Amino acid sequence: MPVTADKSAPYAPAATIIDIVKRYRDRGLPVPLNGEALGRIGVPDSLISRVLYALTTLDLIDADGAPTPTLEGLRLAAEAEFRTRQEEWLRSAYADIFSIVDPTRDDETRIRDAFRNYQPVGQQSRMVTLFVGLCANAGMMPEKAGSVRPSSGARSSSGARSPTVGRAPRAVSPPPRSVGKAATKNPAKGPGELPPALAGLLESLPDAAEGWTKDERARFMTTFEAVLDFCIPVVGSKARNSEADAEV
C-alpha cells in the first residue's frame, strides 16, 4: 500500500513511527497492533488513528494489525544491515515521492513541492516532516543537509552572491534593517514563520498534561536535530561574521 496522491498520505509523528519499529526490533509489540495496543505502549489517544493509518500505509502492519514481512525484515536485519533495510523500505513505500525528489540533494522547498498534490492538503507540512524524519533516521540525508542546499540568493551589501550561505543568516549584532532582510529570503516560509517541516514536527509534541517517556523524548530530539539541520544550514563562523559585517 505505497503512498500515492490518489489517497490520503500518512502524517503521523516520525519519532513515534521510529519508536514503534525500534520497539518491535528490540523487544516485540502486542499483536494485533491496534488502537488498544498503541495506547498500552504510550501513544497518546489523539495520535492513535493517524499512527495506525501511517503504519498500514507504510506497509508495517496489515489491515488486521499483524506485522508485515517488511516490519519482520526490519526486526531480523543485523545491525550492519539495518539502515540498508530501512532505505529499501522507504524507497518502496514512498516510490512516488522518490521519483520526483532525492533527499540527499534536494532542499526543503523541493521536497515540500513533491507533496503538494497529496491529501489532506492541511496536513502536507506534517507529511514532509514524517518523510524527512524517516529518511534522516535511515541515514538517507546528508550529515549536515543544509550545507548542500542551493543558494536562495543571499547577497552582501555590495550585491555579490555569497558562495557558501544557502539563506541569509541573522546578523550577530542585529541592526534593524538587517532583520527584515533575513526574515524574507527563505522561499520555504513566509516572514516570521517556521519552515513547514519544523512546524509540523513541533505540532506533534504531546500535551503538557500527558507528558512523555524518556525514550519518546530521546526519539523526538533525534528527529528534531535531523529536521533542524535539514531546514537551517550550518555555516562556518567566518562566513557568518563576514556577512554580518557587510550588512552593517
PDB file of all heavy atoms in Angstrom, residues 200-233:
ATOM      1  N   GLY A 200       5.612  21.340  11.458  1.00  0.00           N
ATOM      2  CA  GLY A 200       4.873  20.085  11.578  1.00  0.00           C
ATOM      3  C   GLY A 200       5.403  19.208  12.692  1.00  0.00           C
ATOM      4  O   GLY A 200       4.629  18.570  13.418  1.00  0.00           O
ATOM      5  N   LEU A 201       6.719  19.169  12.852  1.00  0.00           N
ATOM      6  CA  LEU A 201       7.312  18.362  13.914  1.00  0.00           C
ATOM      7  C   LEU A 201       6.931  18.900  15.285  1.00  0.00           C
ATOM      8  O   LEU A 201       6.576  18.140  16.191  1.00  0.00           O
ATOM      9  CB  LEU A 201       8.830  18.325  13.760  1.00  0.00           C
ATOM     10  CG  LEU A 201       9.596  17.510  14.804  1.00  0.00           C
ATOM     11  CD1 LEU A 201       9.179  16.046  14.752  1.00  0.00           C
ATOM     12  CD2 LEU A 201      11.096  17.632  14.579  1.00  0.00           C
ATOM     13  N   LEU A 202       6.978  20.213  15.456  1.00  0.00           N
ATOM     14  CA  LEU A 202       6.639  20.805  16.751  1.00  0.00           C
ATOM     15  C   LEU A 202       5.171  20.592  17.102  1.00  0.00           C
ATOM     16  O   LEU A 202       4.815  20.467  18.270  1.00  0.00           O
ATOM     17  CB  LEU A 202       6.979  22.299  16.750  1.00  0.00           C
ATOM     18  CG  LEU A 202       8.478  22.629  16.698  1.00  0.00           C
ATOM     19  CD1 LEU A 202       8.689  24.128  16.573  1.00  0.00           C
ATOM     20  CD2 LEU A 202       9.194  22.098  17.926  1.00  0.00           C
ATOM     21  N   GLU A 203       4.324  20.538  16.081  1.00  0.00           N
ATOM     22  CA  GLU A 203       2.903  20.283  16.334  1.00  0.00           C
ATOM     23  C   GLU A 203       2.654  18.873  16.861  1.00  0.00           C
ATOM     24  O   GLU A 203       1.591  18.586  17.409  1.00  0.00           O
ATOM     25  CB  GLU A 203       2.094  20.505  15.053  1.00  0.00           C
ATOM     26  CG  GLU A 203       1.953  21.970  14.673  1.00  0.00           C
ATOM     27  CD  GLU A 203       1.219  22.152  13.361  1.00  0.00           C
ATOM     28  OE1 GLU A 203       0.720  21.135  12.830  1.00  0.00           O
ATOM     29  OE2 GLU A 203       1.150  23.285  12.868  1.00  0.00           O
ATOM     30  N   SER A 204       3.636  17.987  16.682  1.00  0.00           N
ATOM     31  CA  SER A 204       3.471  16.612  17.150  1.00  0.00           C
ATOM     32  C   SER A 204       3.830  16.442  18.623  1.00  0.00           C
ATOM     33  O   SER A 204       3.687  15.348  19.170  1.00  0.00           O
ATOM     34  CB  SER A 204       4.343  15.670  16.312  1.00  0.00           C
ATOM     35  OG  SER A 204       5.720  15.835  16.627  1.00  0.00           O
ATOM     36  N   LEU A 205       4.303  17.503  19.275  1.00  0.00           N
ATOM     37  CA  LEU A 205       4.633  17.410  20.690  1.00  0.00           C
ATOM     38  C   LEU A 205       3.400  17.014  21.512  1.00  0.00           C
ATOM     39  O   LEU A 205       2.294  17.486  21.237  1.00  0.00           O
ATOM     40  CB  LEU A 205       5.160  18.756  21.201  1.00  0.00           C
ATOM     41  CG  LEU A 205       6.588  19.132  20.795  1.00  0.00           C
ATOM     42  CD1 LEU A 205       6.850  20.599  21.128  1.00  0.00           C
ATOM     43  CD2 LEU A 205       7.596  18.246  21.490  1.00  0.00           C
ATOM     44  N   PRO A 206       3.574  16.154  22.501  1.00  0.00           N
ATOM     45  CA  PRO A 206       2.424  15.759  23.326  1.00  0.00           C
ATOM     46  C   PRO A 206       1.943  16.911  24.195  1.00  0.00           C
ATOM     47  O   PRO A 206       2.684  17.856  24.462  1.00  0.00           O
ATOM     48  CB  PRO A 206       2.991  14.619  24.182  1.00  0.00           C
ATOM     49  CG  PRO A 206       4.451  14.923  24.281  1.00  0.00           C
ATOM     50  CD  PRO A 206       4.822  15.517  22.941  1.00  0.00           C
ATOM     51  N   ASP A 207       0.716  16.807  24.639  1.00  0.00           N
ATOM     52  CA  ASP A 207       0.175  17.803  25.543  1.00  0.00           C
ATOM     53  C   ASP A 207       0.957  17.774  26.853  1.00  0.00           C
ATOM     54  O   ASP A 207       1.381  16.708  27.326  1.00  0.00           O
ATOM     55  CB  ASP A 207      -1.312  17.500  25.813  1.00  0.00           C
ATOM     56  CG  ASP A 207      -1.970  18.614  26.604  1.00  0.00           C
ATOM     57  OD1 ASP A 207      -1.873  18.593  27.845  1.00  0.00           O
ATOM     58  OD2 ASP A 207      -2.572  19.508  25.985  1.00  0.00           O
ATOM     59  N   ALA A 208       1.160  18.950  27.442  1.00  0.00           N
ATOM     60  CA  ALA A 208       1.935  19.034  28.683  1.00  0.00           C
ATOM     61  C   ALA A 208       1.318  18.194  29.796  1.00  0.00           C
ATOM     62  O   ALA A 208       2.022  17.665  30.661  1.00  0.00           O
ATOM     63  CB  ALA A 208       2.060  20.490  29.120  1.00  0.00           C
ATOM     64  N   ALA A 209       0.002  18.054  29.769  1.00  0.00           N
ATOM     65  CA  ALA A 209      -0.667  17.275  30.809  1.00  0.00           C
ATOM     66  C   ALA A 209      -0.408  15.780  30.652  1.00  0.00           C
ATOM     67  O   ALA A 209      -0.470  15.028  31.623  1.00  0.00           O
ATOM     68  CB  ALA A 209      -2.175  17.547  30.769  1.00  0.00           C
ATOM     69  N   GLU A 210      -0.111  15.339  29.397  1.00  0.00           N
ATOM     70  CA  GLU A 210       0.137  13.920  29.156  1.00  0.00           C
ATOM     71  C   GLU A 210       1.579  13.537  29.446  1.00  0.00           C
ATOM     72  O   GLU A 210       1.865  12.453  29.933  1.00  0.00           O
ATOM     73  CB  GLU A 210      -0.196  13.573  27.696  1.00  0.00           C
ATOM     74  CG  GLU A 210      -1.663  13.765  27.345  1.00  0.00           C
ATOM     75  CD  GLU A 210      -1.922  13.529  25.865  1.00  0.00           C
ATOM     76  OE1 GLU A 210      -0.938  13.475  25.087  1.00  0.00           O
ATOM     77  OE2 GLU A 210      -3.084  13.390  25.491  1.00  0.00           O
ATOM     78  N   GLY A 211       2.507  14.463  29.117  1.00  0.00           N
ATOM     79  CA  GLY A 211       3.920  14.158  29.305  1.00  0.00           C
ATOM     80  C   GLY A 211       4.390  13.100  28.314  1.00  0.00           C
ATOM     81  O   GLY A 211       3.670  12.716  27.392  1.00  0.00           O
ATOM     82  N   TRP A 212       5.629  12.627  28.498  1.00  0.00           N
ATOM     83  CA  TRP A 212       6.162  11.567  27.646  1.00  0.00           C
ATOM     84  C   TRP A 212       7.273  10.851  28.383  1.00  0.00           C
ATOM     85  O   TRP A 212       7.747  11.298  29.423  1.00  0.00           O
ATOM     86  CB  TRP A 212       6.643  12.113  26.303  1.00  0.00           C
ATOM     87  CG  TRP A 212       7.645  13.254  26.355  1.00  0.00           C
ATOM     88  CD1 TRP A 212       8.239  13.804  27.460  1.00  0.00           C
ATOM     89  CD2 TRP A 212       8.149  13.994  25.253  1.00  0.00           C
ATOM     90  NE1 TRP A 212       9.065  14.831  27.101  1.00  0.00           N
ATOM     91  CE2 TRP A 212       9.049  14.971  25.762  1.00  0.00           C
ATOM     92  CE3 TRP A 212       7.955  13.929  23.876  1.00  0.00           C
ATOM     93  CZ2 TRP A 212       9.720  15.869  24.950  1.00  0.00           C
ATOM     94  CZ3 TRP A 212       8.624  14.827  23.058  1.00  0.00           C
ATOM     95  CH2 TRP A 212       9.495  15.785  23.583  1.00  0.00           C
ATOM     96  N   THR A 213       7.659   9.697  27.866  1.00  0.00           N
ATOM     97  CA  THR A 213       8.704   8.906  28.499  1.00  0.00           C
ATOM     98  C   THR A 213      10.079   9.413  28.051  1.00  0.00           C
ATOM     99  O   THR A 213      10.187  10.173  27.087  1.00  0.00           O
ATOM    100  CB  THR A 213       8.582   7.424  28.119  1.00  0.00           C
ATOM    101  OG1 THR A 213       8.834   7.277  26.716  1.00  0.00           O
ATOM    102  CG2 THR A 213       7.192   6.897  28.442  1.00  0.00           C
ATOM    103  N   LYS A 214      11.123   8.966  28.727  1.00  0.00           N
ATOM    104  CA  LYS A 214      12.485   9.357  28.342  1.00  0.00           C
ATOM    105  C   LYS A 214      12.813   8.861  26.942  1.00  0.00           C
ATOM    106  O   LYS A 214      13.476   9.553  26.164  1.00  0.00           O
ATOM    107  CB  LYS A 214      13.497   8.809  29.355  1.00  0.00           C
ATOM    108  CG  LYS A 214      13.468   9.512  30.707  1.00  0.00           C
ATOM    109  CD  LYS A 214      14.570   8.977  31.625  1.00  0.00           C
ATOM    110  CE  LYS A 214      14.591   9.720  32.948  1.00  0.00           C
ATOM    111  NZ  LYS A 214      15.640   9.205  33.861  1.00  0.00           N
ATOM    112  N   ASP A 215      12.360   7.639  26.618  1.00  0.00           N
ATOM    113  CA  ASP A 215      12.623   7.098  25.285  1.00  0.00           C
ATOM    114  C   ASP A 215      11.932   7.926  24.218  1.00  0.00           C
ATOM    115  O   ASP A 215      12.508   8.212  23.158  1.00  0.00           O
ATOM    116  CB  ASP A 215      12.146   5.647  25.191  1.00  0.00           C
ATOM    117  CG  ASP A 215      13.089   4.683  25.892  1.00  0.00           C
ATOM    118  OD1 ASP A 215      14.226   5.096  26.210  1.00  0.00           O
ATOM    119  OD2 ASP A 215      12.687   3.528  26.124  1.00  0.00           O
ATOM    120  N   GLU A 216      10.687   8.335  24.473  1.00  0.00           N
ATOM    121  CA  GLU A 216       9.955   9.145  23.500  1.00  0.00           C
ATOM    122  C   GLU A 216      10.629  10.501  23.310  1.00  0.00           C
ATOM    123  O   GLU A 216      10.736  11.007  22.191  1.00  0.00           O
ATOM    124  CB  GLU A 216       8.505   9.331  23.967  1.00  0.00           C
ATOM    125  CG  GLU A 216       7.663   8.074  23.869  1.00  0.00           C
ATOM    126  CD  GLU A 216       6.318   8.209  24.543  1.00  0.00           C
ATOM    127  OE1 GLU A 216       6.157   9.087  25.420  1.00  0.00           O
ATOM    128  OE2 GLU A 216       5.413   7.430  24.207  1.00  0.00           O
ATOM    129  N   ARG A 217      11.079  11.087  24.422  1.00  0.00           N
ATOM    130  CA  ARG A 217      11.768  12.373  24.320  1.00  0.00           C
ATOM    131  C   ARG A 217      13.062  12.237  23.523  1.00  0.00           C
ATOM    132  O   ARG A 217      13.386  13.080  22.680  1.00  0.00           O
ATOM    133  CB  ARG A 217      12.073  12.920  25.719  1.00  0.00           C
ATOM    134  CG  ARG A 217      12.749  14.287  25.703  1.00  0.00           C
ATOM    135  CD  ARG A 217      13.165  14.722  27.110  1.00  0.00           C
ATOM    136  NE  ARG A 217      13.753  16.057  27.098  1.00  0.00           N
ATOM    137  CZ  ARG A 217      15.010  16.326  26.741  1.00  0.00           C
ATOM    138  NH1 ARG A 217      15.815  15.335  26.368  1.00  0.00           N
ATOM    139  NH2 ARG A 217      15.455  17.566  26.751  1.00  0.00           N
ATOM    140  N   ALA A 218      13.812  11.168  23.786  1.00  0.00           N
ATOM    141  CA  ALA A 218      15.079  10.954  23.074  1.00  0.00           C
ATOM    142  C   ALA A 218      14.833  10.784  21.583  1.00  0.00           C
ATOM    143  O   ALA A 218      15.577  11.320  20.748  1.00  0.00           O
ATOM    144  CB  ALA A 218      15.799   9.740  23.649  1.00  0.00           C
ATOM    145  N   ARG A 219      13.780  10.043  21.220  1.00  0.00           N
ATOM    146  CA  ARG A 219      13.448   9.848  19.812  1.00  0.00           C
ATOM    147  C   ARG A 219      13.068  11.169  19.157  1.00  0.00           C
ATOM    148  O   ARG A 219      13.471  11.460  18.032  1.00  0.00           O
ATOM    149  CB  ARG A 219      12.300   8.853  19.682  1.00  0.00           C
ATOM    150  CG  ARG A 219      12.710   7.437  19.995  1.00  0.00           C
ATOM    151  CD  ARG A 219      13.554   6.868  18.881  1.00  0.00           C
ATOM    152  NE  ARG A 219      14.179   5.632  19.287  1.00  0.00           N
ATOM    153  CZ  ARG A 219      15.066   4.966  18.574  1.00  0.00           C
ATOM    154  NH1 ARG A 219      15.461   5.455  17.417  1.00  0.00           N
ATOM    155  NH2 ARG A 219      15.596   3.853  19.012  1.00  0.00           N
ATOM    156  N   PHE A 220      12.297  11.969  19.881  1.00  0.00           N
ATOM    157  CA  PHE A 220      11.893  13.266  19.334  1.00  0.00           C
ATOM    158  C   PHE A 220      13.115  14.145  19.103  1.00  0.00           C
ATOM    159  O   PHE A 220      13.231  14.791  18.053  1.00  0.00           O
ATOM    160  CB  PHE A 220      10.917  13.966  20.280  1.00  0.00           C
ATOM    161  CG  PHE A 220      10.525  15.344  19.814  1.00  0.00           C
ATOM    162  CD1 PHE A 220       9.464  15.518  18.947  1.00  0.00           C
ATOM    163  CD2 PHE A 220      11.245  16.464  20.222  1.00  0.00           C
ATOM    164  CE1 PHE A 220       9.114  16.783  18.499  1.00  0.00           C
ATOM    165  CE2 PHE A 220      10.916  17.732  19.777  1.00  0.00           C
ATOM    166  CZ  PHE A 220       9.831  17.886  18.910  1.00  0.00           C
ATOM    167  N   MET A 221      14.030  14.185  20.063  1.00  0.00           N
ATOM    168  CA  MET A 221      15.198  15.044  19.936  1.00  0.00           C
ATOM    169  C   MET A 221      16.090  14.607  18.775  1.00  0.00           C
ATOM    170  O   MET A 221      16.668  15.443  18.073  1.00  0.00           O
ATOM    171  CB  MET A 221      15.993  15.052  21.246  1.00  0.00           C
ATOM    172  CG  MET A 221      15.249  15.684  22.424  1.00  0.00           C
ATOM    173  SD  MET A 221      14.696  17.387  22.093  1.00  0.00           S
ATOM    174  CE  MET A 221      16.272  18.220  21.883  1.00  0.00           C
ATOM    175  N   THR A 222      16.198  13.300  18.551  1.00  0.00           N
ATOM    176  CA  THR A 222      16.981  12.809  17.419  1.00  0.00           C
ATOM    177  C   THR A 222      16.362  13.275  16.110  1.00  0.00           C
ATOM    178  O   THR A 222      17.050  13.753  15.208  1.00  0.00           O
ATOM    179  CB  THR A 222      17.058  11.272  17.450  1.00  0.00           C
ATOM    180  OG1 THR A 222      17.715  10.857  18.654  1.00  0.00           O
ATOM    181  CG2 THR A 222      17.834  10.743  16.253  1.00  0.00           C
ATOM    182  N   THR A 223      15.040  13.128  16.011  1.00  0.00           N
ATOM    183  CA  THR A 223      14.342  13.566  14.795  1.00  0.00           C
ATOM    184  C   THR A 223      14.421  15.074  14.644  1.00  0.00           C
ATOM    185  O   THR A 223      14.648  15.594  13.547  1.00  0.00           O
ATOM    186  CB  THR A 223      12.870  13.121  14.847  1.00  0.00           C
ATOM    187  OG1 THR A 223      12.807  11.710  15.077  1.00  0.00           O
ATOM    188  CG2 THR A 223      12.153  13.443  13.545  1.00  0.00           C
ATOM    189  N   PHE A 224      14.262  15.795  15.757  1.00  0.00           N
ATOM    190  CA  PHE A 224      14.304  17.257  15.711  1.00  0.00           C
ATOM    191  C   PHE A 224      15.652  17.746  15.193  1.00  0.00           C
ATOM    192  O   PHE A 224      15.715  18.655  14.360  1.00  0.00           O
ATOM    193  CB  PHE A 224      14.036  17.826  17.109  1.00  0.00           C
ATOM    194  CG  PHE A 224      14.090  19.329  17.165  1.00  0.00           C
ATOM    195  CD1 PHE A 224      13.009  20.091  16.744  1.00  0.00           C
ATOM    196  CD2 PHE A 224      15.225  19.993  17.621  1.00  0.00           C
ATOM    197  CE1 PHE A 224      13.062  21.478  16.795  1.00  0.00           C
ATOM    198  CE2 PHE A 224      15.292  21.373  17.661  1.00  0.00           C
ATOM    199  CZ  PHE A 224      14.201  22.118  17.249  1.00  0.00           C
ATOM    200  N   GLU A 225      16.744  17.144  15.674  1.00  0.00           N
ATOM    201  CA  GLU A 225      18.072  17.569  15.243  1.00  0.00           C
ATOM    202  C   GLU A 225      18.244  17.355  13.740  1.00  0.00           C
ATOM    203  O   GLU A 225      18.785  18.215  13.038  1.00  0.00           O
ATOM    204  CB  GLU A 225      19.142  16.806  16.011  1.00  0.00           C
ATOM    205  CG  GLU A 225      20.564  17.235  15.643  1.00  0.00           C
ATOM    206  CD  GLU A 225      21.620  16.530  16.471  1.00  0.00           C
ATOM    207  OE1 GLU A 225      21.261  15.700  17.326  1.00  0.00           O
ATOM    208  OE2 GLU A 225      22.816  16.811  16.249  1.00  0.00           O
ATOM    209  N   ALA A 226      17.758  16.198  13.247  1.00  0.00           N
ATOM    210  CA  ALA A 226      17.889  15.910  11.813  1.00  0.00           C
ATOM    211  C   ALA A 226      17.081  16.889  10.974  1.00  0.00           C
ATOM    212  O   ALA A 226      17.554  17.405   9.957  1.00  0.00           O
ATOM    213  CB  ALA A 226      17.442  14.476  11.539  1.00  0.00           C
ATOM    214  N   VAL A 227      15.843  17.169  11.399  1.00  0.00           N
ATOM    215  CA  VAL A 227      14.990  18.079  10.644  1.00  0.00           C
ATOM    216  C   VAL A 227      15.527  19.510  10.725  1.00  0.00           C
ATOM    217  O   VAL A 227      15.496  20.261   9.748  1.00  0.00           O
ATOM    218  CB  VAL A 227      13.534  18.009  11.162  1.00  0.00           C
ATOM    219  CG1 VAL A 227      12.652  19.051  10.480  1.00  0.00           C
ATOM    220  CG2 VAL A 227      12.952  16.618  10.921  1.00  0.00           C
ATOM    221  N   LEU A 228      16.045  19.893  11.902  1.00  0.00           N
ATOM    222  CA  LEU A 228      16.602  21.236  12.062  1.00  0.00           C
ATOM    223  C   LEU A 228      17.795  21.440  11.138  1.00  0.00           C
ATOM    224  O   LEU A 228      17.915  22.470  10.463  1.00  0.00           O
ATOM    225  CB  LEU A 228      17.010  21.455  13.517  1.00  0.00           C
ATOM    226  CG  LEU A 228      17.591  22.834  13.872  1.00  0.00           C
ATOM    227  CD1 LEU A 228      16.544  23.920  13.665  1.00  0.00           C
ATOM    228  CD2 LEU A 228      18.084  22.856  15.309  1.00  0.00           C
ATOM    229  N   ASP A 229      18.688  20.459  11.084  1.00  0.00           N
ATOM    230  CA  ASP A 229      19.848  20.560  10.199  1.00  0.00           C
ATOM    231  C   ASP A 229      19.418  20.631   8.740  1.00  0.00           C
ATOM    232  O   ASP A 229      20.059  21.289   7.915  1.00  0.00           O
ATOM    233  CB  ASP A 229      20.790  19.368  10.398  1.00  0.00           C
ATOM    234  CG  ASP A 229      21.663  19.514  11.631  1.00  0.00           C
ATOM    235  OD1 ASP A 229      21.755  20.640  12.151  1.00  0.00           O
ATOM    236  OD2 ASP A 229      22.257  18.518  12.067  1.00  0.00           O
ATOM    237  N   PHE A 230      18.326  19.925   8.416  1.00  0.00           N
ATOM    238  CA  PHE A 230      17.839  19.937   7.039  1.00  0.00           C
ATOM    239  C   PHE A 230      17.262  21.297   6.670  1.00  0.00           C
ATOM    240  O   PHE A 230      17.480  21.812   5.572  1.00  0.00           O
ATOM    241  CB  PHE A 230      16.760  18.861   6.872  1.00  0.00           C
ATOM    242  CG  PHE A 230      16.107  18.872   5.523  1.00  0.00           C
ATOM    243  CD1 PHE A 230      16.796  18.453   4.397  1.00  0.00           C
ATOM    244  CD2 PHE A 230      14.798  19.305   5.375  1.00  0.00           C
ATOM    245  CE1 PHE A 230      16.204  18.461   3.155  1.00  0.00           C
ATOM    246  CE2 PHE A 230      14.189  19.318   4.138  1.00  0.00           C
ATOM    247  CZ  PHE A 230      14.895  18.894   3.023  1.00  0.00           C
ATOM    248  N   CYS A 231      16.521  21.897   7.591  1.00  0.00           N
ATOM    249  CA  CYS A 231      15.822  23.163   7.294  1.00  0.00           C
ATOM    250  C   CYS A 231      16.739  24.376   7.351  1.00  0.00           C
ATOM    251  O   CYS A 231      16.562  25.329   6.588  1.00  0.00           O
ATOM    252  CB  CYS A 231      14.664  23.363   8.272  1.00  0.00           C
ATOM    253  SG  CYS A 231      13.329  22.173   8.114  1.00  0.00           S
ATOM    254  N   ILE A 232      17.701  24.378   8.273  1.00  0.00           N
ATOM    255  CA  ILE A 232      18.527  25.566   8.500  1.00  0.00           C
ATOM    256  C   ILE A 232      19.983  25.193   8.336  1.00  0.00           C
ATOM    257  O   ILE A 232      20.520  24.393   9.101  1.00  0.00           O
ATOM    258  CB  ILE A 232      18.278  26.146   9.915  1.00  0.00           C
ATOM    259  CG1 ILE A 232      16.790  26.479  10.097  1.00  0.00           C
ATOM    260  CG2 ILE A 232      19.137  27.386  10.133  1.00  0.00           C
ATOM    261  CD1 ILE A 232      16.427  26.968  11.466  1.00  0.00           C
ATOM    262  N   PRO A 233      20.654  25.749   7.327  1.00  0.00           N
ATOM    263  CA  PRO A 233      22.047  25.380   7.062  1.00  0.00           C
ATOM    264  C   PRO A 233      22.970  25.713   8.225  1.00  0.00           C
ATOM    265  O   PRO A 233      22.781  26.700   8.925  1.00  0.00           O
ATOM    266  CB  PRO A 233      22.415  26.229   5.839  1.00  0.00           C
ATOM    267  CG  PRO A 233      21.115  26.658   5.251  1.00  0.00           C
ATOM    268  CD  PRO A 233      20.153  26.749   6.382  1.00  0.00           C
TER     269      PRO A 233
END
